[in-house]
Amino acid sequence: MIGSLVHLFRNLRAGIILAREGALALVDPNALPPAARLGLRLARLIERRQAGDGAARLSAALTRLGPSYVKFGQFLATRPDIVGAAAARDLENLQDRMPPFPRAEAVRTVELALGRPVDELFLEFSEPIAAASIAQVHKAAIRTPEGPLTVAVKVVRPGVREGFARDLQAMRAAARLFERLVPDAKRLKPVEVVEALARSVAVEMDLRLEAAAVSELAENTKDDPDFRVPKPEWDLTARDVLTNTWIEGIRLNDIPRIEAAGFDRVALARTVIQSFLRHAIRDGFFHADMHPGNLFVDPQGRLVAVDFGIMGRLGMKERRFLAEILLGFIRRDYLRVARVHFEAGYVPPHHSVEDFAQAIRAIGEPIHDRRADEISMAKLLTLLFEITALFDMATRIELVMLQKTMVVVEGVARNLDPRLDMWTTSEPVVREWIERHLGPIGRIEEAGSGLATLAGIAADLPDMALRAKRVLNQIENVTAQGVPLHDDSVSAIGRAEARGSRWTTAALWIIALSLVFMVVRGG
C-alpha cells in the first residue's frame, strides 16, 4: 500500500513537470477515452507559455526529471513505432549531459571497486572531463613497461542504481495504469517497453560488459586499416569502473580543425559509412550510439569510436535481410526486396508479394529520379518500415535500432561531405558480403554446416533410440498395470475430493435455499 502511494506521488510529480513543460501537447486527445481527454485538458492549463515547440518540450521535461528519464527519452528515440517519427527525431537531440559529481566521490568508487588506493593504481587522476546520466570520465595515467600511458577512466555515478530502480518501479506502475485506463494502448506494450529499458540500463551500468563490447569490436576490426577502438585495461576494470586507452584525436563535428589538420573530409565520410555497414552486415555487431561526440579522427587519419554502452547485434537472418534489400534498391529489383521480407517471415504470408513489391516501388522509384547526393539511405529505411507496417510487419527492435543508428551515421557523414553518394559508397560493402555469403563459397560453407549438423544428429541416434525404448517400455507398463500410486498420494487425493464434495454440497444447498426463498416471496 505504501509502495503504491510512493509510486503514485512520483508519477504525479512527473506528470506535473511534463504538463508544465508542455510535453502533453504531443498527446493526441482523439486516441483517449472521454475521462482521459478531460484530464488532459485540465493538465494543460498549467503549461508554461514559452514552453517551446514540438518534442523540444518533451526533451526539456525529461531533462528536468533527471537521469532516469533522460535515458528513457533516448530509449524512446529508438522506438518511432511508439512515440511517432517526429517525436523520435527530436528525442535524438536529447543530450545525456549531467552535472559532474565530485572527484573525491569518484576516487572512493574506484578504490572500492578495484580494492587499492587510487594513488597506487594511477600516476595521476584528473577532475571529471565529461559527465552523463550513468557515469563520468576522468583522464588518468598508468605505469607500463614502456613508460606512462594515458588512459580514460569511466566511473559509475554513486547511487545511480538505486535511483534508476526507484524510477523504473514508478514507470512500471504508470505503464500498468496506462494499459488499464487506455485499452488501445496495449498494442504499444508500455509494460514491455519499460522492461526493455530496465534491461538496457542494467547492461549499461555494468562497465565490464562495455569493456567486453570494446574487446569484441576490436577483434572484429583488427584487420580494418581505417578504423580502431580503444584497448580496455582489464586489470583496472570492474563493474563500476572502466579503464581504456586515451584517444587523441579531433571530433568529427569539428570541421575547421579537421580541415586545418589536412584530413580528407570526403574520404572520412566514406570511412564512416563503410565502417558502420561492415560492422552491421559483416560482423553483426555495431556501435549503436555513433553521434559526433563519440567519433574521432586520430593523427594517422583513422576513424576512432568511443563509448560502447549501447551496442546493436544482428543475426545472420537480419544481416542477409539488410544486405539484400539495400542491393535490391540499388538495382531497382523491388520484387526481390519484397520476397526477402516474406522469406524472412517479417510479412505474414496471407499478403500478396506482388502488392508488397508495388508498395516498395513507390519508395524506390522517386529516389532514382534524384541526384545520388540527394538520396538518404536512412530515410529510405524509415519509409520502408512505414510501408511494412501497413502489411502487418511486426516491430523488430534490432532493425529499428539499426535504422536509427543509420540516421545518425548518415548525418555525421553528410556533415563531412554534403555531396556524399550513399549508394556508391555502400555498394562495395553490400556486394562483397552477398558474394561471400550467398555466392558459391557461401553455399558450400552452408552445405558443410548442414552436413556437420546431420553428422551430430547421426552420432546421437543410438542414445536417442535407447531413450525412446525406455519411454515405450514405461508406456506399456502403465497401459498394462495402470498408474502406481503411493499410499500418501491416495490419501491426499481422498482429502482433496472430500473438500471438493463439501464445497459442492454447500453450493447445492445455497442454490436450493435461494430457489425456496424466491418461491416463498413469489407466493
Side-chain angles (χ1 to χ4, degrees), residues 68 71 134 164 168 196-206:
S68 306
K71 189 59 65 178
I134 288 178
F164 267 93
L168 284 168
L197 171 68
R199 290 191 296 271
S200 173
V201 168
V203 169
E204 203 170 340
M205 284 193 290
D206 191 335

Side-chain angles (χ1 to χ4, degrees), residues 57-202:
R57 302 176 175 192
L58 181 56
S59 296
L62 295 174
T63 301
R64 276 193 61 190
L65 284 168
S68 306
Y69 289 88
V70 168
K71 189 59 65 178
F72 188 43
Q74 291 180 315
F75 181 76
L76 289 178
T78 68
R79 298 298 305 272
D81 55 310
I82 294 174
V83 298
R89 279 195 300 271
D90 286 322
L91 284 171
E92 286 168 9
N93 299 319
L94 185 61
Q95 298 296 310
D96 190 4
R97 294 175 184 166
M98 294 287 154
F101 55 91
R103 177 183 180 277
E105 290 188 30
V107 168
R108 278 197 296 272
T109 300
V110 170
E111 292 180 341
L112 187 63
L114 301 179
R116 291 166 58 193
V118 75
D119 292 337
E120 292 183 13
L121 296 165
F122 302 100
L123 294 172
E124 57 185 66
F125 191 86
S126 77
E127 294 290 332
I129 59 172
S133 56
I134 288 178
Q136 69 184 27
V137 177
H138 299 257
K139 189 175 183 179
I142 60 173
R143 301 173 185 85
T144 70
E146 294 78 24
L149 175 68
T150 304
V151 294
V153 183
K154 190 172 185 178
V155 185
V156 169
R157 281 183 176 273
V160 70
R161 287 185 180 81
E162 294 78 6
F164 267 93
R166 287 193 301 269
D167 289 338
L168 284 168
Q169 288 287 27
M171 290 179 193
R172 287 185 179 102
R176 287 192 293 267
L177 182 64
F178 186 51
E179 277 194 356
R180 283 201 298 271
L181 295 180
V182 186
D184 289 344
K186 286 187 177 180
R187 67 181 178 82
L188 300 177
K189 303 176 180 177
V191 174
E192 289 185 24
V193 169
V194 174
E195 293 305 326
L197 171 68
R199 290 191 296 271
S200 173
V201 168

Side-chain angles (χ1 to χ4, degrees), residues 219-409:
E219 186 176 320
N220 291 342
T221 60
K222 63 181 182 296
D223 296 325
D224 295 354
D226 51 5
F227 180 87
R228 73 182 183 95
V229 296
K231 176 179 176 293
E233 298 290 336
W234 287 103
D235 291 342
L236 297 172
T237 294
R239 187 186 69 160
D240 293 342
V241 179
L242 168 62
T243 304
N244 54 35
T245 48
W246 181 263
I247 296 301
E248 288 291 350
I250 304 171
R251 290 186 190 273
L252 284 198
N253 58 353
D254 194 344
I255 302 300
R257 284 189 63 197
I258 289 174
E259 289 181 335
F263 293 118
D264 185 341
R265 288 171 52 181
V266 173
L268 271 175
R270 186 169 58 249
T271 298
V272 170
I273 296 299
Q274 291 186 346
S275 294
F276 168 69
L277 287 174
R278 283 193 195 100
H279 304 163
I281 298 176
R282 180 191 68 190
D283 308 324
F285 187 63
F286 61 93
H287 194 309
D289 195 18
M290 291 182 72
H291 61 76
N294 286 339
L295 295 173
F296 296 81
V297 54
D298 72 7
Q300 288 75 44
R302 293 173 297 182
L303 180 66
V304 188
V306 299
D307 194 356
F308 304 88
I310 304 174
M311 303 297 292
R313 198 177 289 278
L314 299 175
M316 184 57 74
K317 184 174 82 169
E318 290 79 20
R319 289 147 69 184
R320 175 176 176 172
F321 170 78
L322 175 64
E324 291 222 50
I325 63 172
L326 291 180
L327 195 65
F329 275 109
I330 290 171
R331 295 178 175 174
R332 301 171 82 166
D333 187 351
Y334 306 119
L335 188 60
R336 180 61 195 147
V337 175
R339 283 177 177 152
V340 167
H341 281 77
F342 281 80
E343 288 169 6
Y346 293 158
V347 176
H350 64 266
H351 287 290
S352 162
V353 176
E354 289 74 18
D355 289 346
F356 189 45
Q358 179 184 353
I360 291 172
R361 181 180 290 273
I363 301 171
E365 282 304 295
I367 69 175
H368 287 285
D369 294 333
R370 299 182 183 180
R371 293 198 321 269
D373 60 296
E374 294 178 336
I375 299 171
S376 166
M377 187 179 291
K379 185 177 180 181
L380 171 75
L381 286 179
T382 302
L383 292 172
L384 179 62
F385 289 157
E386 288 177 6
I387 288 291
T388 55
L390 298 177
F391 286 81
D392 304 320
M393 176 172 165
T395 300
R396 304 283 304 187
I397 301 300
E398 65 276 22
L399 294 178
V400 171
M401 179 177 282
L402 174 85
Q403 180 261 335
K404 298 306 293 181
T405 307
M406 188 171 281
V407 170
V408 177
V409 169

Side-chain angles (χ1 to χ4, degrees), residues 450-515:
L451 287 173
T453 302
L454 287 174
I457 294 173
D460 289 338
L461 280 176
D463 198 31
M464 292 167 64
L466 287 173
R467 288 200 298 269
K469 183 179 179 181
R470 282 198 295 269
V471 171
L472 288 172
N473 287 336
Q474 290 172 358
I475 292 173
E476 287 178 0
N477 290 335
V478 168
T479 304
Q481 303 172 13
V483 180
L485 290 177
H486 192 274
D487 291 343
D488 292 341
S489 300
V490 174
S491 301
I493 292 171
R495 287 194 297 272
E497 285 293 327
R499 282 196 300 271
S501 298
R502 285 198 295 271
W503 282 110
T504 303
T505 303
L508 290 172
W509 273 107
I510 291 169
I511 293 169
L513 290 172
S514 299
L515 289 171

